[in-house]
Amino acid sequence: MNLLTSENIILFSFALIVIAFLYSSVGHGGASGYLALMTIFAFPVAIMKPSALLLNLFVSSISFLFYYRMNYFKPKLFYPFAIASVPAAFIGGFITLDNTIYKVILGIVLVFAALRLFGIFNFKEKEAVKIQLPFALAIGFVIGLLSGMLGIGGGIILSPILLFLGWASVKESAAISSLFIFVNSFAGMLGFLLGGKIIPIESFYLVPIAVIGGMLGGFYGSGYFSNKTLKIVLGTVILMASIKLIFP
């Protein structure tokens, strides 16, 4: 990888494992964290989006398998969001934003991700509420479009919405979000490729590193895991990256 100096490769790899571990533990693919990390290490924008989508595919699928095995996945809660989000993410994958616009929008999304890690959007479980189909479809479409354009899976947005509306428990939202992230990332990647673009070879170098963190996170997260300190550190890193994106 010629994007990183030899001194920084170990630091980058370690940070990537930690990010994949933390996000996978709560049913997320980690795209917002990967994008923040790539921003800090000055990756070109052309590499950031496909890399985040690719890593999301692997890490979110690993996380979903662990949560599925623990019987936390509720198909009836998943389908309404996926029906609308998948075509929207596909459309978003075709869209190539101006670098400045991309960085500003991504920076705003990363602020949201950082605040969630700080616990600001970690809503407590509510008594189960029946899902409202039109509202769920609208939410899925908006998140899907944003996911395809930016190279994120959307779970960082979907899971707090599920908890806030009382549509899912914490573990259920993690299971739903992980599969939601996978299908959105797949649709976004498909749109990206059909739009005449290719996945840079550097993106594939990151996969084995992220998979290590993803497997560990999925294993501990689907059972019982909490590490507040690491989440605060990760949130701080993401917040720093968002500031760098919005105010270069």
Side-chain angles (χ1 to χ4, degrees):
M1 293 173 62
N2 55 13
L3 293 172
L4 301 171
T5 62
S6 56
E7 309 89 66
N8 287 334
I9 289 178
I10 294 177
L11 178 60
F12 177 87
S13 299
F14 176 76
L16 184 60
I17 290 174
V18 171
I19 290 171
F21 174 80
L22 289 174
Y23 276 84
S24 178
S25 70
V26 293
H28 293 171
S32 55
Y34 309 142
L35 289 167
L37 185 62
M38 287 186 278
T39 297
I40 291 173
F41 280 85
F43 275 63
V45 171
I47 290 180
M48 290 171 63
K49 177 177 175 178
S51 296
L53 286 171
L54 185 65
L55 296 181
N56 251 10
L57 286 172
F58 282 90
V59 176
S60 64
S61 61
I62 292 170
S63 181
F64 172 72
L65 288 175
F66 277 105
Y67 277 96
Y68 181 82
R69 289 176 59 188
M70 298 295 288
N71 296 317
Y72 289 119
F73 179 65
K74 306 297 181 184
K76 290 183 179 180
L77 295 176
F78 168 75
Y79 294 136
F81 298 102
I83 289 172
S85 69
V86 169
F90 178 76
I91 295 170
F94 271 103
I95 300 173
T96 300
L97 298 173
D98 174 81
N99 281 0
T100 301
I101 296 175
Y102 175 87
K103 288 181 178 180
V104 171
I105 296 176
L106 177 59
I108 294 171
V109 173
L110 291 182
V111 169
F112 184 93
L115 294 177
R116 191 188 188 300
L117 285 167
F118 290 145
I120 295 177
F121 295 111
N122 289 344
F123 301 106
K124 295 181 179 179
E125 294 183 26
K126 296 182 178 180
E127 186 176 344
V129 176
K130 185 177 180 180
I131 190 171
Q132 300 176 23
L133 184 58
F135 192 22
L137 291 170
I139 291 172
F141 182 86
V142 172
I143 297 177
L145 186 63
L146 190 63
S147 299
M149 287 193 298
L150 299 181
I152 63 175
I156 199 74
I157 303 172
L158 178 62
S159 56
I161 290 176
L162 289 172
L163 294 174
F164 176 72
L165 295 175
W167 289 350
S169 68
V170 172
K171 296 288 186 179
E172 288 170 350
S173 69
I176 295 165
S177 294
S178 58
L179 187 57
F180 180 81
I181 290 167
F182 178 83
V183 296
N184 279 337
S185 298
F186 183 83
M189 181 67 79
L190 187 60
F192 178 83
L193 294 173
L194 292 179
K197 306 175 188 67
I198 61 172
I199 304 174
I201 188 64
E202 291 87 354
S203 300
F204 293 97
Y205 297 156
L206 307 179
V207 172
I209 303 171
V211 165
I212 294 172
M215 291 184 69
L216 291 172
F219 175 77
Y220 284 104
S222 60
Y224 178 80
F225 173 76
S226 177
N227 196 321
K228 187 175 180 180
T229 301
L230 282 178
K231 287 186 178 182
I232 291 175
V233 171
L234 178 56
T236 302
V237 170
I238 291 177
L239 192 59
M240 289 170 58
S242 68
I243 293 172
K244 183 178 178 181
L245 283 165
I246 299 172
F247 306 103

